[in-house]
Short mmCIF file of all heavy atoms in Angstrom, two decimals:
data_model
loop_
_atom_site.label_atom_id
_atom_site.label_comp_id
_atom_site.label_asym_id
_atom_site.label_seq_id
_atom_site.Cartn_x
_atom_site.Cartn_y
_atom_site.Cartn_z
N ALA B 159 10.93 -7.41 -10.97
CA ALA B 159 9.68 -6.78 -11.39
C ALA B 159 8.67 -7.80 -11.87
O ALA B 159 7.45 -7.66 -11.63
CB ALA B 159 9.94 -5.73 -12.47
N ALA B 160 9.14 -8.85 -12.50
CA ALA B 160 8.28 -9.89 -13.05
C ALA B 160 7.51 -10.66 -11.98
O ALA B 160 6.50 -11.30 -12.28
CB ALA B 160 9.09 -10.88 -13.92
N GLN B 161 7.97 -10.52 -10.72
CA GLN B 161 7.26 -11.21 -9.61
C GLN B 161 5.91 -10.58 -9.29
O GLN B 161 5.06 -11.20 -8.63
CB GLN B 161 8.11 -11.13 -8.33
CG GLN B 161 9.54 -11.65 -8.44
CD GLN B 161 9.59 -13.14 -8.75
OE1 GLN B 161 8.88 -13.91 -8.15
NE2 GLN B 161 10.38 -13.52 -9.74
N ALA B 162 5.68 -9.34 -9.68
CA ALA B 162 4.42 -8.67 -9.37
C ALA B 162 3.27 -9.33 -10.11
O ALA B 162 3.47 -9.99 -11.14
CB ALA B 162 4.49 -7.19 -9.77
N ASP B 163 2.05 -9.19 -9.57
CA ASP B 163 0.86 -9.72 -10.27
C ASP B 163 0.77 -9.09 -11.67
O ASP B 163 0.30 -9.73 -12.60
CB ASP B 163 -0.42 -9.33 -9.51
CG ASP B 163 -0.43 -9.86 -8.08
OD1 ASP B 163 0.31 -10.86 -7.81
OD2 ASP B 163 -1.15 -9.28 -7.26
N MET B 164 1.14 -7.84 -11.75
CA MET B 164 0.93 -7.08 -12.97
C MET B 164 2.22 -6.33 -13.34
O MET B 164 2.42 -5.16 -13.01
CB MET B 164 -0.19 -6.07 -12.76
CG MET B 164 -0.57 -5.21 -13.94
SD MET B 164 -1.14 -6.13 -15.38
CE MET B 164 -2.71 -6.72 -14.80
N PRO B 165 3.17 -7.04 -14.00
CA PRO B 165 4.44 -6.38 -14.39
C PRO B 165 4.29 -5.73 -15.75
O PRO B 165 3.91 -6.37 -16.72
CB PRO B 165 5.44 -7.51 -14.42
CG PRO B 165 4.64 -8.77 -14.62
CD PRO B 165 3.19 -8.47 -14.33
N ILE B 166 4.60 -4.44 -15.82
CA ILE B 166 4.40 -3.66 -17.05
C ILE B 166 5.67 -2.90 -17.41
O ILE B 166 6.28 -2.27 -16.54
CB ILE B 166 3.22 -2.68 -16.86
CG1 ILE B 166 1.93 -3.46 -16.81
CG2 ILE B 166 3.19 -1.60 -17.95
CD1 ILE B 166 0.73 -2.64 -16.39
N LEU B 167 6.06 -2.92 -18.67
CA LEU B 167 7.15 -2.09 -19.16
C LEU B 167 6.54 -1.03 -20.05
O LEU B 167 5.75 -1.33 -20.97
CB LEU B 167 8.19 -2.92 -19.89
CG LEU B 167 9.42 -2.15 -20.41
CD1 LEU B 167 10.73 -2.96 -20.19
CD2 LEU B 167 9.28 -1.82 -21.89
N LEU B 168 6.88 0.23 -19.84
CA LEU B 168 6.35 1.35 -20.63
C LEU B 168 7.31 1.62 -21.76
O LEU B 168 8.49 1.86 -21.57
CB LEU B 168 6.23 2.57 -19.70
CG LEU B 168 5.42 2.31 -18.43
CD1 LEU B 168 5.66 3.40 -17.42
CD2 LEU B 168 3.94 2.16 -18.77
N TYR B 169 6.78 1.61 -22.99
CA TYR B 169 7.63 1.70 -24.19
C TYR B 169 6.99 2.59 -25.22
O TYR B 169 5.84 2.35 -25.62
CB TYR B 169 7.84 0.28 -24.73
CG TYR B 169 8.88 0.19 -25.84
CD1 TYR B 169 10.07 0.89 -25.81
CD2 TYR B 169 8.66 -0.68 -26.92
CE1 TYR B 169 11.01 0.79 -26.81
CE2 TYR B 169 9.59 -0.79 -27.94
CZ TYR B 169 10.77 -0.05 -27.88
OH TYR B 169 11.68 -0.15 -28.89
N GLU B 170 7.72 3.59 -25.66
CA GLU B 170 7.15 4.59 -26.55
C GLU B 170 6.94 4.04 -27.96
O GLU B 170 6.14 4.60 -28.74
CB GLU B 170 7.99 5.87 -26.57
CG GLU B 170 9.32 5.79 -27.33
CD GLU B 170 10.43 5.21 -26.50
OE1 GLU B 170 10.16 4.61 -25.43
OE2 GLU B 170 11.60 5.31 -26.91
N ASN B 171 7.59 2.91 -28.30
CA ASN B 171 7.38 2.35 -29.62
C ASN B 171 6.32 1.25 -29.67
O ASN B 171 6.11 0.59 -30.68
CB ASN B 171 8.69 1.83 -30.20
CG ASN B 171 9.65 2.95 -30.52
OD1 ASN B 171 9.21 4.05 -30.86
ND2 ASN B 171 10.93 2.71 -30.33
N GLU B 172 5.66 1.03 -28.51
CA GLU B 172 4.53 0.11 -28.49
C GLU B 172 3.30 0.91 -28.87
O GLU B 172 3.07 1.99 -28.34
CB GLU B 172 4.38 -0.50 -27.09
CG GLU B 172 3.11 -1.26 -26.85
CD GLU B 172 2.98 -2.46 -27.76
OE1 GLU B 172 4.00 -3.13 -28.02
OE2 GLU B 172 1.86 -2.73 -28.27
N HIS B 173 2.51 0.40 -29.81
CA HIS B 173 1.35 1.17 -30.23
C HIS B 173 0.04 0.41 -30.03
O HIS B 173 -1.03 0.97 -30.03
CB HIS B 173 1.48 1.57 -31.70
CG HIS B 173 2.73 2.42 -31.94
ND1 HIS B 173 2.88 3.65 -31.38
CD2 HIS B 173 3.86 2.13 -32.60
CE1 HIS B 173 4.08 4.15 -31.72
NE2 HIS B 173 4.69 3.24 -32.46
N ALA B 174 0.13 -0.91 -29.86
CA ALA B 174 -1.09 -1.71 -29.83
C ALA B 174 -1.62 -1.89 -28.40
O ALA B 174 -2.80 -1.67 -28.14
CB ALA B 174 -0.82 -3.07 -30.47
N THR B 175 -0.79 -2.28 -27.47
CA THR B 175 -1.26 -2.61 -26.11
C THR B 175 -1.24 -1.36 -25.22
O THR B 175 -0.16 -0.76 -24.99
CB THR B 175 -0.38 -3.69 -25.47
OG1 THR B 175 -0.29 -4.79 -26.34
CG2 THR B 175 -0.95 -4.15 -24.13
N THR B 176 -2.41 -1.00 -24.74
CA THR B 176 -2.46 0.15 -23.83
C THR B 176 -2.30 -0.32 -22.39
O THR B 176 -2.48 -1.50 -22.08
CB THR B 176 -3.79 0.91 -23.94
OG1 THR B 176 -4.85 0.01 -23.56
CG2 THR B 176 -4.03 1.40 -25.37
N LEU B 177 -1.97 0.61 -21.51
CA LEU B 177 -1.90 0.31 -20.08
C LEU B 177 -3.23 -0.27 -19.61
O LEU B 177 -3.26 -1.21 -18.84
CB LEU B 177 -1.61 1.65 -19.36
CG LEU B 177 -1.36 1.59 -17.87
CD1 LEU B 177 -0.13 0.74 -17.56
CD2 LEU B 177 -1.17 2.99 -17.32
N ARG B 178 -4.31 0.29 -20.12
CA ARG B 178 -5.63 -0.18 -19.70
C ARG B 178 -5.89 -1.64 -20.08
O ARG B 178 -6.47 -2.40 -19.32
CB ARG B 178 -6.73 0.70 -20.32
CG ARG B 178 -8.12 0.23 -19.99
CD ARG B 178 -9.15 0.89 -20.83
NE ARG B 178 -9.29 2.29 -20.43
CZ ARG B 178 -10.35 2.76 -19.73
NH1 ARG B 178 -11.33 1.97 -19.40
NH2 ARG B 178 -10.39 4.03 -19.45
N MET B 179 -5.45 -2.02 -21.32
CA MET B 179 -5.63 -3.42 -21.73
C MET B 179 -4.95 -4.36 -20.73
O MET B 179 -5.49 -5.37 -20.35
CB MET B 179 -5.03 -3.62 -23.10
CG MET B 179 -5.84 -3.07 -24.22
SD MET B 179 -5.00 -3.39 -25.81
CE MET B 179 -5.72 -2.15 -26.81
N ALA B 180 -3.73 -3.96 -20.33
CA ALA B 180 -3.01 -4.82 -19.36
C ALA B 180 -3.76 -4.82 -18.03
O ALA B 180 -4.05 -5.91 -17.48
CB ALA B 180 -1.58 -4.31 -19.17
N LEU B 181 -4.12 -3.67 -17.52
CA LEU B 181 -4.75 -3.59 -16.19
C LEU B 181 -6.13 -4.26 -16.17
O LEU B 181 -6.55 -4.79 -15.14
CB LEU B 181 -4.85 -2.12 -15.74
CG LEU B 181 -3.55 -1.40 -15.48
CD1 LEU B 181 -3.80 0.07 -15.08
CD2 LEU B 181 -2.70 -2.05 -14.41
#
Side-chain angles (χ1 to χ4, degrees):
Chain B
Q161 306 295 315
D163 301 337
M164 181 60 70
I166 288 170
L167 182 139
L168 306 164
Y169 188 41
E170 73 277 14
N171 292 328
E172 169 62 38
H173 302 294
T175 307
T176 62
L177 186 62
R178 177 192 289 254
M179 285 180 202
L181 295 178

